Amino acid sequence: MAQVAENVQAESDDGTSLLGSIINDIVYSPLNLILLSVCIYLMYKLFFSKKADDTPSSPPIPRLPPMKKRDMTIEDLRKYDGTNEEGRVCIAVNGKIFDVTKGKHFYGPGGPYAAFAGRDASRGLATFSVEVANEGYDDLSDLNSMQMDSVREWEIQFQEKYHYVGRLLKPNEEPTDYSDEEDASQDQSTQSPTQSSKKDE
């Protein structure tokens, strides 16, 4: 029995000496102290910083109804730079106007591409420049083929992502009347399925 007690005492001394050895290795080695500090910091960021991220930093932007289809001049387009009452942002790309309000954090006031808001962004997109060079209508005739290809690619991306509003009018060009198209689409959406199928027959 005395021998069993000695074995238990020896095992507890080994456990204590092992723990003491680990603590000594951590405390007396600068590299281990640095690694321990990094681990504690990462654990803190992992578990405690998520709570701060869950709270929204700014209120969500309310969704505006889609703009009615219409053509605009450069002067009309400038009104949609995000500083107007409703905060709507429009951009022209390759002669087409898009409502980019849902991307207001990019194109609206304070955004990285705010210089494009309410303007024709074609030249800036073609030359990879956010600076607005031309205040008037820009026919893009001096761009080379590679730059025009870039403008067309941007136009396709905007068509896929944003609502098409209408054409950017050249000076002295007359706007298209889109009211007939909108009335026809509203009539079709308000008809019952049986009425529209009778019309088709």
Side-chain angles (χ1 to χ4, degrees):
M1 186 124 190
Q3 192 175 19
V4 173
E6 286 177 13
N7 287 342
V8 170
Q9 181 66 29
E11 286 177 11
S12 68
D13 287 344
D14 286 343
T16 306
S17 66
L18 179 64
L19 181 63
S21 173
I22 292 172
I23 291 174
N24 283 337
D25 285 344
I26 291 173
V27 171
Y28 293 114
S29 171
L31 180 62
N32 287 341
L33 278 175
I34 292 170
L35 291 174
L36 179 65
S37 301
V38 168
C39 288
I40 291 171
Y41 174 75
L42 291 175
M43 294 291 281
Y44 171 78
K45 292 298 271 181
L46 183 68
F47 292 110
F48 296 108
S49 66
K50 284 192 177 195
K51 291 178 183 175
D53 291 345
D54 291 343
T55 59
S57 58
S58 63
I61 299 171
R63 288 232 159 192
L64 296 172
M67 286 182 73
K68 288 188 177 184
K69 206 170 192 183
R70 70 186 198 114
D71 297 339
M72 294 185 209
T73 63
I74 287 286
E75 291 77 26
D76 295 334
L77 181 61
R78 284 199 187 113
K79 297 173 188 172
Y80 296 99
D81 62 355
T83 59
N84 55 11
E85 188 176 306
E86 64 181 350
R88 198 173 292 272
V89 181
C90 290
I91 291 178
V93 178
N94 202 20
K96 295 180 179 176
I97 300 171
F98 299 94
D99 181 358
V100 297
T101 305
K102 69 180 181 179
K104 192 174 183 176
H105 55 281
F106 288 113
Y107 303 106
Y113 303 105
F116 293 157
R119 301 183 184 277
D120 183 0
S122 303
R123 181 169 299 277
L125 294 171
T127 59
F128 301 103
S129 172
V130 183
E131 312 231 345
V132 178
N134 192 353
E135 291 294 322
Y137 182 81
D138 189 357
D139 65 359
L140 308 175
S141 60
D142 62 327
L143 295 181
N144 64 35
S145 62
M146 198 160 71
Q147 290 171 327
M148 283 307 296
D149 287 344
S150 178
V151 171
R152 286 186 206 97
E153 288 174 16
W154 278 106
E155 177 188 346
I156 291 168
Q157 288 182 22
F158 274 75
Q159 283 176 333
E160 291 172 355
K161 191 170 183 177
Y162 299 111
H163 175 71
Y164 172 72
V165 176
R167 295 179 306 121
L168 181 63
L169 298 173
K170 298 174 185 173
N172 301 320
E173 185 179 8
E174 290 297 317
T176 306
D177 183 21
Y178 293 107
S179 62
D180 295 338
E181 291 177 21
E182 289 179 7
D183 292 341
S185 65
Q186 287 177 353
D187 289 344
Q188 287 177 353
S189 65
T190 57
Q191 287 180 350
S192 67
T194 54
Q195 289 175 333
S196 61
S197 64
K198 287 180 186 176
K199 241 185 188 181
D200 294 338
E201 294 173 354

